[in-house]
Each structure stands twice: as C-alpha cells, then as structure tokens.
Amino acid sequence: MKSTENKIHDRSVLVGLSPFLTRAWSGWKYELAGLILSVCAWAVVTQFIFTRPGLSHFKGFLPGPTLAALADAFQNSRFWVSVFASLGRIVVGIAISAAIGLPLGVLIGFFTRLRKLTYSPIQFVRMISPLSWMPIALLLFTSFESAVHFLIVMATICPIILNTAIGVMNINPQWIKMALNQGANNLQLIQTIVIPYSVPHMMTSIRLALGIAWIVLVPAEFLGVSSGLGYLINDARDTMEYDKLMALIIAIGILGFMLDRVFQKLQHRFRWSWADDV
C-alpha cells in the first residue's frame, strides 16, 4: 500500500513540476544560447584545423569568410532564383507523394489483409537509399527536373504511407463498432471517422517527408539541373570557393530550419482548429 501511495505521490510531483520545467527549459533564450554555442564550437574547430600550414587554403571554412559570403549570397538574385527552384521541386515531389501516399496509408491502415499484404514490400522499399534510384531516374525520365521529382517521391512516399496507416490503426475501435451497429458501410466509415481522426498523423507524415526531401534534394540536384541549391554547391566546389561553399551549406540549414518551424506552427494551429471542430 505504501509503495502505491509513493508512486502516486511521485507522479503528482512530476505532474506539478512539468509546467515549471516546461517554462524553465523552453523558449527562445535557450535556443539562441544553443545556436551561439554551436557557432563558437564551429569557430574553435575550424580555427584549430584550417589555420595549419598545410590546410591554410581551406580558410574559407572559417566563420568570418563564411558569414561574409553568406551575406553576399542573400543579396544575390542568382541565389534566390536557386532557392525558389529548389522549393518548387520540394513542393512538386511532396505533392505527388501525398497524393499517392495518403490514400494508400488510409486503406492500408483500415483493411487488415491489405496491411499484411503490403507490409513487407513497403519495408523493403523504405530500406533502399533514395539516392540509389539515381541511375534509374536518369533512364526513365528525359528531363532532369522529372528525375529530381522522382527521387523526392521515392524518398518521401514510404514515411507518408506508414505514418498515415499508424494514425488509422490508432483510432478507437469502439467508434468503428458503434458506426457499424448503426449500419455504416466501409466507405462511410472512412469518410466520417477514419479520415477526420487520422488528419494529425497525416500532417506529421508530411512534416517528416519535408525534412527527408530537404536532405535528399541537394544530392539529387547534382544530376545536371542548371539551378537550385545543389547546383550552387557543386559549382562552388568546382571553383574551389570554399567560403561560398560553406555559406551555401549554412543557408541550406537556415532555410530547412525555417521551413520546419513554419510547418510546425501550421500543424499546431491546424490541430487546435481540428480539435475544436471535433
């Protein structure tokens, strides 16, 4: 009896402390401190490595030259043309993946036999590196743009299918039973219960796909496109402009971070509005 009371007390203490810990350890101050520490670590490591006599030609990787090149890039129209070209490829690739993956995820999560039938093929495809599809993409498609879209789709469709299916499988089975008792058929179940209650998982799957697509995009743009962030990185490497190369890497991180944050805000807002409607 005492152990049970102690557990309840400990749990109540944790619940009482959780708001305090949340307020104490979250917020922009700690995020800013983390970014500053990361920049300091970058400065120390690069200063220690690239100031040696044999590596002095790599001084462009130091924070000073990199930040200067980054400021120049932000003022360069060529950089922004490449940014929007890369974003366009991301949007097209994820849109195709969502159009295919969301309905498949709903069906796979709803029908048990279909889930058992497709589990092994989906897991098999998921374990293949998206970049290993590059030669096939070049053989299948006549344009590099279509090949990049294909690579993004192959990288993102499995996470969308699996996360959507998990959302459907987590629906309370009592709701399904109640609807069946009232004479609902499978189509009505999917329209009125399955899709509305799996929307948060769908949003999570698209956010996950966005992160994966952003990672795959840069090497995919090495295929031969004439614009995009991957193209600029390849060009900076060939011309040995290491400050520009590092600046582009930092820019990709900044843009990816901002995209994730924007989608996270939209996801939370959509989730609250969805909860109010329900």
Side-chain angles (χ1 to χ4, degrees), residues 69-274:
L70 184 62
D72 291 338
F74 285 159
Q75 300 174 9
N76 192 334
S77 60
R78 186 187 178 204
F79 169 78
W80 292 110
V81 168
S82 295
V83 168
F84 288 116
S86 295
L87 290 176
R89 294 175 185 125
I90 290 284
V91 170
V92 172
I94 292 182
I96 296 172
S97 292
I100 300 172
L102 293 179
L104 275 178
V106 170
L107 295 176
I108 289 170
F110 185 74
F111 295 104
T112 305
R113 290 182 180 177
L114 182 61
R115 182 164 64 250
K116 292 179 180 179
L117 183 66
T118 57
Y119 176 79
S120 295
I122 290 175
Q123 292 295 335
F124 179 80
V125 173
R126 187 176 70 89
M127 298 307 295
I128 299 174
S129 170
L131 299 180
S132 64
W133 294 98
M134 274 188 176
I136 297 177
L138 292 175
L139 292 173
L140 290 178
F141 300 98
T142 56
S143 69
F144 291 119
E145 288 289 334
S146 299
V148 173
H149 296 156
F150 173 78
L151 292 175
I152 294 174
V153 170
M154 295 307 299
T156 57
I157 192 167
C158 287
I160 290 178
I161 293 174
L162 292 175
N163 280 277
T164 303
I166 290 171
V168 175
M169 293 166 59
N170 286 337
I171 294 174
N172 190 337
Q174 296 300 323
W175 298 342
I176 304 294
K177 290 180 180 179
M178 290 174 60
L180 289 174
N181 291 335
Q182 294 176 5
N185 55 36
N186 287 337
L187 181 60
Q188 291 171 333
L189 288 175
I190 292 174
Q191 289 177 340
T192 59
I193 295 178
V194 172
I195 291 179
Y197 284 91
S198 58
V199 165
H201 279 80
M202 293 181 183
M203 297 290 290
T204 301
S205 69
I206 294 176
R207 182 185 173 192
L208 178 62
L210 177 63
I212 297 173
W214 194 248
I215 294 172
V216 173
L217 175 70
V218 172
E221 288 180 334
F222 290 168
L223 284 176
V225 293
S226 58
S227 63
L229 295 170
Y231 169 78
L232 292 181
I233 285 182
N234 205 23
D235 183 62
R237 182 200 63 183
D238 292 340
T239 56
M240 294 186 291
E241 297 176 276
Y242 299 120
D243 55 342
K244 183 179 177 181
L245 174 61
M246 193 65 187
L248 290 169
I249 293 173
I250 299 297
I252 289 171
I254 293 172
L255 292 170
F257 180 82
M258 291 174 63
L259 278 176
D260 183 73
R261 279 303 176 90
V262 169
F263 195 86
Q264 184 181 15
K265 295 294 183 182
L266 292 174
Q267 185 180 4
H268 285 306
R269 183 170 296 181
F270 186 84
R271 184 177 297 173
W272 280 110
S273 62
W274 168 84

Side-chain angles (χ1 to χ4, degrees), residues 6-113:
N6 290 336
K7 288 181 180 179
I8 295 173
H9 175 71
D10 293 340
R11 188 178 298 174
S12 64
V13 170
L14 288 174
V15 171
L17 285 176
S18 61
F20 169 77
L21 293 174
T22 302
R23 286 193 296 268
W25 292 100
S26 64
W28 64 270
K29 293 182 180 179
Y30 282 87
E31 292 188 8
L32 181 61
L35 291 174
I36 293 174
L37 288 175
S38 299
V39 172
C40 291
W42 169 31
V44 170
V45 171
T46 53
Q47 185 72 25
F48 177 75
I49 295 176
F50 298 121
T51 55
R52 295 182 178 183
L55 300 174
S56 58
H57 53 287
F58 292 118
K59 285 184 178 180
F61 291 123
L62 292 169
T66 297
L67 295 178
L70 184 62
D72 291 338
F74 285 159
Q75 300 174 9
N76 192 334
S77 60
R78 186 187 178 204
F79 169 78
W80 292 110
V81 168
S82 295
V83 168
F84 288 116
S86 295
L87 290 176
R89 294 175 185 125
I90 290 284
V91 170
V92 172
I94 292 182
I96 296 172
S97 292
I100 300 172
L102 293 179
L104 275 178
V106 170
L107 295 176
I108 289 170
F110 185 74
F111 295 104
T112 305
R113 290 182 180 177

